[in-house]
C-alpha cells in the first residue's frame, strides 16, 4: 500500500509539473455587433461546445461607448476610453503609445512570443499602433470563411502563441437589416460565423503540438445593437456576452451585475457617475479580456498584470483561483435535461436545493410562452409538450442564482 501511494504521489507531482510546463497560448475570437439574445436564439453548435469548460456570461454589460472603435480598444488594451483615448470609429485621439494593446505588454516580458491577427475591419489593423502584432492580416470585410481559412493557416505554425480572429458579418448585417433576434438575416449571419468558428477550432485541436499546449480561448462581442445602429446606451446596445474557455478559468456561468445605468450620457471623459466601480470589480467587463489574456501569457514570469502599476490597467484577470466575479456573483450551475427535449424538461442545480423560481420562456421571435413550472424533489419540472418544435430561451431567476439557457425542443 505504501509502495502504491508513493508512486501515485510521484505521478501526481509529475502530472502537475507537466501541466505547469505546457506552453500557454491565447486565441481571441471577436464577433462584432452580436446581441446576446440573438446569439442564444441562433443555432451555434461550435460556440456551444465551449461552454462546458468555460467561464461565460450572456448578460454582461458594456460600460463604455458602444461604437466599435472604443469597444475594441478597451478589449485589446485593458483600459477604458479615458486612457486609450478612442471615442469613435475615427480613432482620433488614440493613446496607444502610453496604453498599449496586450500583445505589446506581453512582449515586454516575453519578447519571443509570436502574435498574429486576422481581421476584416481595416481600422483594427491600420489604426492600432504600438500593438505588438508580428503580422496583421486583413481580409475582405464580412467575408467570414476566407477569414477562417486565413486563421487556419496561422494555426498550422507550431510557434504561434497569440491569434486574434475578427468577424464583421453580424454587425454589417445588423446595419442593413436591423439588429434583432426576430430578423432571420441577422440570425443567419451569426450561424455563418459559428460555422467559420468551427473551422478555426478544428484547426486548433488538430495542431501537432496541441497536447503539450495550454490554450485559453476568448470569445467576445464589442456591443449589441438597436434597429439599424448602435452607439447609444440602451439595454439592447449595452448588454453583451463573452466566453472564456480553458483549464485555468473557473467553469461557471456568471450572472452579471449592471455597473451602469441605461440612460447615462457617456462622454469622452470617463464620468464616475456613469458606472459603479465597486460593481465593475465584481462584474466582468470588456477590459478584463486583455488582462486575462495577458495574465495567461505571462503566468510563468510570476508577474500579475493587475499589480504592475506602470501599466495602469483597469481590467482584472479571470484565471483561477476564482476572481471576484466567480466568488461574489451568484454562481449556481443550472442543468437542463433532457437536451434536446421532447416535452417535459427538468431543471437541476449543482448548488443547494432550488428555491421558488421566476421562470420565463421565450420563442425565437421574443414572444413569451406561457408555462407552469412545478417544484418537485428540489428540482423544477417544466412541461413544454404543447409548444411547437424549435429553439426557446429560458430565463431563470431563483433565490440562489440566475441564468439564461437555450432549449432545443423536438417532437
Amino acid at each position: 500500500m505504501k509502495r502504491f501511494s508513493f508512486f501515485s504521489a510521484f505521478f501526481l507531482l509529475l502530472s502537475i509539473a507537466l501541466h505547469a510546463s505546457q506552453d500557454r497560448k491565447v486565441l481571441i475570437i471577436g464577433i462584432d455587433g452580436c446581441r446576446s439574445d440573438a446569439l442564444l436564439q441562433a443555432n451555434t453548435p461550435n460556440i456551444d461546445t465551449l461552454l462546458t469548460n468555460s467561464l461565460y456570461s450572456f448578460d454582461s454589460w458594456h460600460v463604455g461607448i458602444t461604437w466599435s472603435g472604443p469597444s475594441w480598444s478597451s478589449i485589446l488594451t485593458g483600459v477604458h476610453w479615458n486612457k486609450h483615448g478612442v471615442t469613435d470609429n475615427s480613432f482620433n485621439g488614440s493613446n496607444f503609445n502610453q496604453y498599449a494593446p496586450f500583445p505589446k505588454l506581453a512582449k515586454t516580458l516575453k519578447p519571443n512570443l509570436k502574435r498574429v491577427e486576422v481581421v476584416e475591419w481595416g481600422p483594427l489593423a491600420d489604426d492600432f499602433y504600438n500593438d505588438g502584432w508580428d503580422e496583421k492580416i486583413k481580409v475582405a470585410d464580412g467575408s467570414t470563411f476566407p477569414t477562417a481559412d486565413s486563421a487556419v493557416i496561422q494555426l498550422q505554425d507550431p510557434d504561434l502563441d497569440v491569434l486574434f480572429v475578427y468577424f464583421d458579418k453580424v454587425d454589417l448585417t445588423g446595419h442593413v437589416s436591423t439588429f434583432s433576434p426576430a430578423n432571420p438575416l441577422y440570425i443567419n449571419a451569426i450561424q455563418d460565423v459559428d460555422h467559420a468558428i468551427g473551422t478555426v477550432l478544428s484547426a486548433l485541436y488538430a495542431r501537432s503540438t496541441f497536447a503539450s499546449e495550454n490554450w485559453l480561448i476568448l470569445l467576445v462581442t464589442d456591443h449589441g445593437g438597436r434597429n439599424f445602429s448602435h452607439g447609444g446606451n440602451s439595454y439592447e446596445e449595452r448588454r453583451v456576452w463573452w466566453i472564456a474557455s480553458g483549464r485555468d478559468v473557473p467553469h461557471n456561468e456568471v450572472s452579471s451585475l449592471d455597473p451602469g445605468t441605461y440612460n447615462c450620457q457617456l462622454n469622452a471623459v470617463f464620468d464616475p457617475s456613469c458606472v459603479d466601480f465597486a460593481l465593475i470589480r465584481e462584474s466582468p467587463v470588456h477590459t478584463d479580456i486583455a488582462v486575462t489574456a495577458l495574465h495567461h501569457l505571462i503566468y510563468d514570469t510570476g508577474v500579475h498584470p493587475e499589480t504592475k502599476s506602470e501599466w495602469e490597467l483597469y481590467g482584472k484577470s479571470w484565471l483561477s483561483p476564482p476572481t471576484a466575479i466567480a466568488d461574489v456573483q451568484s454562481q449556481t450551475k443550472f442543468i437542463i435535461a433532457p437536451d434536446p427535449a421532447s416535452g417535459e424538461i427538468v431543471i437541476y442545480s449543482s448548488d443547494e436545493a432550488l428555491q421558488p423560481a421566476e421562470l420565463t420562456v421565450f420563442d425565437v421571435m421574443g414572444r413569451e410562452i406561457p408555462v407552469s413550472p412545478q417544484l418537485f424533489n428540489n428540482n423544477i419540472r417544466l412541461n413544454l409538450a404543447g409548444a411547437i418544435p424549435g429553439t426557446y430561451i429560458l430565463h431563470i431567476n431563483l433565490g440562489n442564482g440566475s441564468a439564461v439557457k437555450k432549449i432545443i425542443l423536438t417532437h
Side-chain angles (χ1 to χ4, degrees), residues 43-73:
N43 180 24
T44 55
N46 296 294
I47 293 175
D48 292 348
T49 59
L50 296 173
L51 298 181
T52 301
N53 297 308
S54 293
L55 181 70
Y56 65 98
S57 177
F58 293 114
D59 60 348
S60 190
W61 297 98
H62 193 308
V63 299
I65 303 169
T66 58
W67 289 111
S68 295
S71 300
W72 290 111
S73 296

Side-chain angles (χ1 to χ4, degrees), residues 274-343:
C274 290
V275 295
D276 185 326
F277 283 93
L279 292 186
I280 283 181
R281 295 306 303 172
E282 300 174 7
S283 300
V285 291
H286 273 154
T287 51
D288 297 349
I289 298 291
V291 177
T292 302
L294 180 58
H295 191 197
H296 186 77
L297 291 169
I298 66 172
Y299 196 88
D300 59 353
T301 69
V303 174
H304 196 301
E306 294 177 54
T307 61
K308 199 164 177 60
S309 59
E310 60 266 38
W311 288 347
E312 300 182 37
L313 297 170
Y314 277 139
K316 54 193 172 296
S317 172
W318 299 338
L319 300 189
S320 298
T323 61
I325 61 170
D327 283 338
V328 179
Q329 298 298 312
S330 180
Q331 293 301 311
T332 302
K333 185 81 169 183
F334 297 106
I335 302 171
I336 296 176
D339 183 17
S342 59

